[in-house]
């Protein structure tokens, strides 16, 4: 019974199952038994769960042909000892109890300690593996090289130096609140990683301070942090009668101040989330005022125009405000002053007008009218509907047709010039066939050293897109072009693009 009392005490102290402790003891006794009777024998130990009695036995397996005499016996021998024995059965011989010597007792203790430790680690991992994303409280146990070990009561966690707020220092015995961002099972046991810089730490703090967030009435849509300095949090209310920003701020700022206090004075901008990207981005740039925005949805870029006196406020100290707004919204934000935007518009107007005057051989009045109507390239004029062009004030169908014809003639002449230039640069015809690019884009490739199929095949998709600039294909299209250029590496036909190699199905269809 004394053995059972020890097992109960260890199980309570380590908060693990009593059976796991008893199994560890059985393995320790088993190891000691093999040390005494020989490691080659199959010796097993069992502790009676009710009386605490130890049963030590040797097992012999009944086999057809004996390979190991220490653990196996023949069927004939087994049936002499135990009538009715069959292949696969075991003969069990009881052994006298072991009188543990000093060495055997030490070995047994090591086995028990190790097994109990393994069981404790398994329990810790199972307890914390599903708690990722929670806030926990603990006591600082030790600090080594800036890394803080936190005692959570039933486990230890690590708060690395780079997960602490700047200028934040803890000493032994301090209370600490942090966010569990990862739980990993490693060789030395489960590792629980904490963070005080993670954006979700701030979101969870708000959920603790604001009942409406906890109840799901207010939803946190995005968080961006510059830990210890400034943060932005976007919120939306699912109840039109509740102001999400006001609820998060609280009476006289009590709720937000509780979060700010936990984050060592980190300034927090609470922003109303909006499904319209332009409105959301304008909100995210608060406290700066925005005059207008120009969106490029394909590339998730937006140009924000602000009054001249608002530029420094919009950018923030060391670009902090615009950087946090970019993280919060997921859009790349370019900020211009009204004067810069006006100057750029004037430059673009002059450049486009000059382009139309030279390409279409028209005077500045017609060129200005085309630019004012939003035309940005000769291609747009060449392929626009005649009726749409004729609707411009001062134009009629004859003028529209003439402008379209001049635009088409210019593009044809340009293609001829660019084809000659492409050939002079040494860009192979095969590259033109496999890409399907215009002569202008092929010249860009040639100017950047991409002249053969192998040159094209050596590129990555992002390199190809960088070379081509604004007229670049999408990433998927770029990958398809590059894979087509690599086809000749695999089919053994040097220089042949994939498109030029008919498949077996195509040949069958032709025949």
């Amino acid at each position: 019974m004394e053995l059972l009392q020890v097992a109960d005490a260890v199980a309570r102290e380590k908060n693990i199952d009593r059976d796991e402790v008893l199994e560890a003891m059985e393995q320790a006794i088993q190891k000691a038994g093999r040390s005494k009777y020989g490691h080659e024998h199959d010796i097993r130990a069992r502790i009676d769960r009710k009386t605490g009695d130890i049963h030590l036995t040797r097992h012999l397996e009944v086999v057809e042909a004996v390979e190991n005499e220490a653990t196996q016996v023949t069927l004939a021998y087994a049936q002499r000892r135990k009538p009715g024995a069959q292949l696969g059965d075991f003969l069990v011989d009881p052994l006298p109890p072991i009188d543990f010597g000093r060495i055997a007792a030490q070995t047994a203790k090591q086995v028990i300690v190790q097994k109990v430790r393994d069981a404790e680690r398994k329990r810790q991992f199972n307890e914390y593996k599903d708690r990722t994303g929670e806030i926990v409280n603990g006591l600082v146990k030790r600090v080594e090289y800036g890394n803080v070990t936190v005692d959570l009561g039933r486990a230890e966690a690590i708060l690395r130096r780079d997960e602490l707020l700047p200028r934040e220092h803890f000493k032994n015995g301090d209370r600490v609140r942090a966010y569990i961002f990862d739980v990993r099972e490693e060789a030395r046991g489960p590792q629980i990683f904490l963070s005080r810089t993670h954006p979700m730490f701030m979101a969870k703090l708000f959920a603790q301070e604001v009942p409406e967030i906890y109840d799901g009435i207010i939803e946190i849509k995005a968080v961006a942090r510059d830990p210890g300095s400034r943060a932005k949090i976007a919120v939306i209310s699912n109840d039109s009668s509740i102001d999400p920003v006001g609820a998060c701020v609280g009476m006289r700022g009590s709720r937000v101040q509780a979060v700010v206090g936990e984050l060592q004075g980190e300034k927090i901008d609470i922003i109303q989330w909006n499904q319209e990207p332009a409105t959301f981005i304008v909100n995210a740039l608060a406290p700066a005022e925005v005059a207008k925005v120009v969106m490029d949805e394909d590339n998730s870029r937006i140009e924000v125009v602000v009054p001249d006196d608002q530029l420094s406020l919009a950018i923030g100290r060391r670009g902090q405000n615009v950087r946090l707004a970019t993280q919060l919204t997921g859009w790349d934000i370019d900020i211009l002053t009204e004067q810069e935007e006006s100057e750029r518009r004037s430059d673009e107007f002059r450049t486009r007008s000059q382009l139309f005057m030279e390409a279409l051989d028209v005077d500045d009045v017609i060129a200005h009218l085309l630019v004012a109507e939003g035309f940005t390239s000769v291609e747009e004029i060449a392929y626009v509907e005649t009726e749409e062009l004729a609707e411009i004030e001062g134009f009629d169908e004859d003028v529209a047709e003439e402008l379209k014809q001049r635009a088409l003639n210019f593009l044809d002449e340009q293609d001829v010039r660019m084809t000659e230039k492409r050939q002079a640069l040494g860009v192979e015809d095969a590259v033109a066939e496999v890409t399907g690019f215009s002569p202008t884009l092929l010249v860009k490739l040639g100017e950047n050293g991409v002249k053969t199929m192998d040159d094209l095949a050596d590129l990555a998709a992002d390199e190809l897109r960088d070379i081509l600039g604004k007229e670049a294909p999408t990433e998927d299209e770029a990958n398809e072009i590059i894979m087509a250029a690599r086809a000749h590496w695999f089919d053994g036909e040097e220089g042949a693009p994939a498109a030029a190699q008919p498949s077996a199905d195509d040949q069958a269809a032709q025949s």
Side-chain angles (χ1 to χ4, degrees), residues 196-260:
R196 286 174 57 80
T197 61
H198 199 285
M200 288 308 295
F201 179 48
M202 190 176 77
K204 292 289 183 181
L205 287 173
F206 268 104
Q208 289 184 350
E209 296 294 335
V210 183
E212 291 87 346
I213 294 176
Y214 184 81
D215 293 338
I217 298 169
I218 292 174
E219 190 178 344
I220 296 173
K221 300 292 281 187
V223 181
R225 287 182 69 192
D226 195 347
S229 176
R230 191 161 174 199
K232 290 179 184 284
I233 180 167
V235 292
I236 186 173
S237 175
N238 295 320
D239 184 339
S240 57
S241 65
I242 294 177
D243 170 25
V245 176
C248 291
V249 171
M251 187 74 71
R252 295 179 184 160
S254 59
R255 290 173 174 177
V256 72
Q257 282 307 314
V259 177
V260 169

Side-chain angles (χ1 to χ4, degrees), residues 352-511:
R352 287 175 187 166
S353 296
Q354 191 64 35
L355 169 67
F356 292 152
M357 287 166 65
E358 293 173 1
L360 306 176
D361 191 22
V362 295
D363 59 22
D364 58 348
V365 176
I366 293 177
H368 290 344
L369 282 170
L370 290 169
V371 175
E373 286 296 319
F375 289 99
T376 60
S377 66
V378 177
E379 284 87 347
E380 289 178 10
I381 297 169
Y383 300 113
V384 73
E385 293 291 333
T386 305
E387 294 79 9
E388 189 178 330
L389 204 55
E391 287 174 2
I392 298 174
E393 190 176 347
F395 286 12
D396 56 23
E397 285 203 10
D398 291 340
V399 171
E401 282 291 353
E402 179 61 25
L403 287 173
K404 283 189 65 172
Q405 192 56 52
R406 290 187 185 186
L408 287 167
N409 292 341
F410 172 80
L411 293 175
D412 288 343
E413 290 168 9
Q414 186 183 54
D415 280 354
V416 171
R417 286 198 308 273
M418 288 298 171
T419 299
E420 290 172 356
K421 189 173 181 182
R422 186 262 295 176
Q423 290 169 341
L425 285 167
V427 179
E428 294 179 351
D429 291 345
V431 174
E433 289 172 21
V434 80
T435 61
F437 289 158
S438 67
T440 305
L441 291 183
L442 291 168
V443 167
K444 276 191 179 181
L445 290 179
E447 289 172 342
N448 284 274
V450 182
K451 301 180 181 182
T452 66
M453 290 288 278
D454 283 333
D455 293 337
L456 181 60
D458 278 333
L459 294 177
D462 55 347
E463 292 174 321
L464 178 60
R465 296 181 76 225
D466 285 344
I467 289 171
L468 300 178
K470 289 182 179 179
E471 298 171 86
T474 65
E475 189 169 349
D476 287 343
E477 290 169 344
N479 277 319
E480 286 178 16
I481 290 167
I482 290 165
M483 290 310 295
R486 291 175 182 172
H488 70 278
W489 290 353
F490 308 109
D491 61 21
E493 297 187 21
E494 190 67 30
Q501 308 304 318
S503 66
D505 291 341
D506 292 337
Q507 291 172 343
Q510 289 169 5
S511 60

Side-chain angles (χ1 to χ4, degrees), residues 149-293:
T149 301
V150 181
D151 184 357
L152 301 178
R154 296 170 62 144
E156 282 186 4
I158 187 79
L159 183 55
R160 291 198 302 247
R161 184 169 50 188
D162 56 344
E163 297 293 341
L164 289 167
L165 299 174
R167 300 175 300 283
E168 187 172 51
H169 300 286
F170 290 102
K171 56 185 183 296
N172 289 2
D174 285 354
R175 291 204 68 80
V176 61
R177 186 152 50 153
Y179 174 81
I180 301 176
F181 75 92
D182 195 13
V183 180
R184 292 202 293 266
E185 194 167 20
E186 297 185 355
R188 62 180 184 275
Q191 296 295 299
I192 302 165
F193 295 98
L194 305 180
S195 173
R196 286 174 57 80
T197 61
H198 199 285
M200 288 308 295
F201 179 48
M202 190 176 77
K204 292 289 183 181
L205 287 173
F206 268 104
Q208 289 184 350
E209 296 294 335
V210 183
E212 291 87 346
I213 294 176
Y214 184 81
D215 293 338
I217 298 169
I218 292 174
E219 190 178 344
I220 296 173
K221 300 292 281 187
V223 181
R225 287 182 69 192
D226 195 347
S229 176
R230 191 161 174 199
K232 290 179 184 284
I233 180 167
V235 292
I236 186 173
S237 175
N238 295 320
D239 184 339
S240 57
S241 65
I242 294 177
D243 170 25
V245 176
C248 291
V249 171
M251 187 74 71
R252 295 179 184 160
S254 59
R255 290 173 174 177
V256 72
Q257 282 307 314
V259 177
V260 169
E262 179 63 45
L263 299 178
Q264 307 292 322
E266 191 171 312
K267 295 182 178 65
I268 301 173
D269 296 335
I270 303 171
I271 293 152
Q272 183 145 354
W273 184 83
N274 194 295
Q275 64 181 1
E276 290 294 328
T279 307
F280 182 33
I281 290 164
V282 170
N283 292 345
L285 284 168
E289 296 174 10
V290 175
K292 77 172 194 178
V293 296

